[in-house]
Amino acid sequence: MRARRSLVYLALAGLLSGSAVALEAQEGTIVGRVVDETDDRPITGARIQVIGTTLVAMTNDEGRYTIRGVGVGRRELRAVVIGYASSSLSATVERGATVVADWRLSPAAFTLDEIVVTAVGEQFTRELGNAVSRIEAAELVETAPVSSMAELLGSGRVASVTVLANEGTPGAGARIRIRGLSSASLSNDPLLYVDGIRVTQRGSPLGPFVGGGSPS
């Protein structure tokens, strides 16, 4: 019995390793170097991304980068770094092959384009098909009496966003709705992230003595 189990374990290990090798064979690797086009000086900290995916690499002190696990086919790449104009290029990835994609970036004296994180990776705000709104809280509180996040988002400051008070208890949370009631059966609370960490919109009920209200 022990001998049979050992054979079964070896067979499973062989299948798993074979699957991993087969998967790697269907992917490729992109390597390259990023330099300043004016003096060929290597650029450190440049961010290279395969557009439409979450595959990202940063250049080292020599300006070199490596992106592994790239799907085969024609891929669009983007290089972004502060102080230089962003640049894009195409690379054709073949199974198990390594593709070289070098960059020569030109210095640019303007601010970096705003980038937002989506389900398919990072995108420039101007490339999104939906609207992205921004509230400058630091400037707003100087001219308006804002004491809570509900007040900051409310009063029509963001198009199609409505903030409703749950109850009159001080410190109680609020309901945030985007474009009205978005679902008749599922939760219509939006996803909230604070410093990259997902948080809940309302906490646990405070108790019966405050009418079952929930804190923000």
Side-chain angles (χ1 to χ4, degrees):
M1 290 296 292
R2 291 181 179 178
R4 289 181 181 177
R5 289 178 181 175
S6 299
L7 290 175
V8 171
Y9 292 152
L10 289 175
L12 289 175
L15 288 174
L16 292 175
S17 61
S19 299
V21 172
L23 183 59
E24 286 184 8
Q26 310 229 345
E27 299 174 339
T29 302
I30 299 177
V31 300
R33 191 166 184 257
V34 182
V35 300
D36 189 315
E37 71 171 7
T38 59
D39 55 8
D40 289 335
R41 177 174 52 86
I43 299 177
T44 304
R47 190 180 187 89
I48 312 298
Q49 180 190 5
V50 181
I51 299 176
T53 73
T54 57
L55 299 176
V56 178
M58 303 288 289
T59 56
N60 59 17
D61 293 339
E62 298 178 352
R64 301 187 183 278
Y65 70 93
T66 301
I67 304 178
R68 296 184 175 85
V70 183
V72 299
R74 191 173 183 84
R75 299 294 176 181
E76 296 293 327
L77 308 176
R78 176 191 292 128
V80 177
V81 61
I82 295 177
Y84 292 85
S86 61
S87 179
S88 301
L89 58 80
S90 300
T92 301
V93 180
E94 299 180 355
R95 291 184 178 89
T98 299
V99 181
V100 178
D102 293 330
W103 307 73
R104 294 173 61 84
L105 302 183
S106 58
F110 53 79
T111 57
L112 189 66
D113 286 340
E114 182 180 2
I115 294 177
V116 294
V117 179
T118 65
V120 294
E122 297 177 345
Q123 291 180 278
F124 288 134
T125 301
R126 52 185 165 82
E127 296 176 345
L128 293 176
N130 52 285
V132 176
S133 301
R134 174 186 291 271
I135 297 178
E136 298 294 343
E139 299 177 3
L140 183 62
V141 295
E142 296 179 357
T143 58
V146 176
S147 60
S148 66
M149 183 64 69
E151 294 181 3
L152 181 65
L153 296 177
S155 302
R157 293 192 176 94
V158 179
S160 301
V161 175
T162 304
V163 181
L164 306 172
N166 283 331
E167 57 273 315
T169 305
R175 291 177 293 170
I176 302 175
R177 295 292 179 265
I178 301 176
R179 297 184 299 276
L181 297 176
S182 56
S183 174
S185 58
L186 302 177
S187 173
N188 43 24
D189 290 337
L191 300 181
L192 301 179
Y193 287 85
V194 177
D195 294 334
I197 301 175
R198 183 175 175 178
V199 298
T200 57
Q201 181 173 334
R202 284 170 285 174
S204 303
L206 296 173
F209 299 104
V210 292
S214 302
S216 172

